Amino acid sequence: MTKNARISALAAAVVAGVAAFWGGWLRRWMSDDGLIVLRTVRNLLAGNGPVFNAGERVEANTSTLWQYLITAFAWITDARLESIAMWLALLCTVAAAATATYASGRFWGRVGPVIPLGIIIYIALPPARDFATSGLEWGLSLLWIAIWWALLVAWAEEPLRRRAPLAGYLLAFWCGMSWLVRPELALYGGVTGILLIAFTPRKTPGILAAALPVPAAYQIFRMGYYGLLTPHTAVAKSASGSEWRSGFEYFADFFGYYWLALPIIGAATVAVWQLWGARGRRLAIVLLTTGVALTHILYVLRVGGDFMHGRMWLLPLFALLLPVMAAPYNRIVAAVGMAIVVWATVIVLRAHPVDWEPYNTGEKELGIVDERDFWTMAVKRPAGDPPMFAEDFTTSKLMRNWEDALERGMDEDSAQMSLAYVSEDPELYEWFIRDREAIDSDLRNQPLTIYMVNLGMTSMNAPLNVRVLDTVGLATPIAARMPRDPDGRVGHDKALDQIWQAADADTDLDKLPEFVDKQQARQARAALRTEEIAELLATSREPMSWGRFWANVRYSLGPGRTLMLDDDPSTYLDDATLREISAGEDPGLTGRQIAWEREK
């Protein structure tokens, strides 16, 4: 790499980093899903372990490393968790943009000076700037991809640099970490491992020794601690299912809206032209990045995309652009670059305006939404002034009388807090208290329990001695195993009926409102004691021991992979039990233990 090429690569990296920082900073915010991560961090800091609710071992976050990274910085600073998450995400995004751009400049170093190209395409997109913060792990994921690319470039140069024999081993180690950043990044790490072994088969033992120990150790921990092979979010979202129609709708919502075909074709033309005649490792790493990015896109299409506009496309798009994040300077590339700048300017100015009136009036159901603008609207803040902290979400219509109800529920040691309409007006909600049963039961070990689909804003505005669960299954094992609604919103297409919610606490079922079937609630409570469901609950609730750990490992390889529940509780009960319930009895208050006393 010549001196001029190195200087131009550094300059391009600086431009990329500044643009990423400025774009992310102007659109900084906190999402409800980002608050979900912070609830786990609070439990880690309190000594309750990597759990969402104390006493229930549920891995509610997709990214393992992200929650621990925030926790590490929280241990050494007094800053608010929201601020730590925002700054870490933003700095990771900036580092990713700069690293990927410099690595591309280094890749083209033998050709000559470079200019920023692909990074302009990425940063111009509003979702890219939105998810530079948000509290989620997108910045960390981008940084993993960027370092992966930089290590690939170093590995491609290894035969020419006798002083760098460790490039392949460092790359192998980094590939092993992919699974802990986000599960789908294992595609990138796994295929790269195959490439390394194919090129240097004699180094296979060393490559495996570098790549496997850390992820394998955590995987054993995950299986024994949580009873699952994957994060719980993968179970809740049925990530192994196929929803191609929804996936292509999600594709059109992003690639079509921003005319992304135009800049991608321009960037691809530059890459093919500059690489024509290339071979060996240089060609291999370009084919690798392109192949895994396209496979990642197919995966997103297959699982149906997401309900957040653009979010699931950001990582494969970033990976697809890696070889041309910076491109060799010449007149043709400069012309393509100017065209991309014009496109980017239009996209930045056009933004992603959303007419929220149909949603506010109930004329249109929520589907794919601009999550930042949605929450700005939902918590009644001015446009361009999104929520930044947990308390900013308490102005949502769903949090009306939240603080008063929570205080009352805790003071009275209530069983549940439940949200319901106050009247026919869809804007008026209120939280209600549900009393406990007078009869002693192990269900009395359950603390005040709150169910809400928006898990972040409730959990971060509640103390850790309150159990906060969702109805779609991110933190709720029973809900995660419920059948999918084929017409439901992608990612939120499961629903835990109120009969199950009331059953999994010592709620006084006789005092349930009329719209909740009391007999079915008793059936659900009895169904929780049946062997199949009781064992599911035990994997997360029974106090940890070596026996429970190894039982969870076995469970993760069996029912943990395949178990789906029936939303009709009567299917789990024999005739004798159904007759008892018909006679007004509540046999589900006793039987197999499903709730254990929690440490104070």
Side-chain angles (χ1 to χ4, degrees), residues 99-100 103-104 106 145-155 171 322:
T99 300
S104 293
R106 181 176 173 180
I145 292 174
I147 294 175
W148 169 70
W149 169 240
L151 290 172
L152 279 170
V153 172
W155 174 79
L171 178 56
L322 285 173

Side-chain angles (χ1 to χ4, degrees), residues 177 210 242 361 386 405 466 508:
M177 300 298 289
S242 297
T361 59
V466 171
D508 189 339

Side-chain angles (χ1 to χ4, degrees), residues 66-88:
W66 182 234
Q67 63 191 21
Y68 288 114
L69 186 62
I70 297 173
T71 303
F73 278 85
W75 272 331
I76 59 177
T77 178
D78 293 329
R80 291 195 56 161
L81 294 180
E82 295 96 325
S83 297
I84 293 173
M86 187 275 291
W87 276 107
L88 280 176

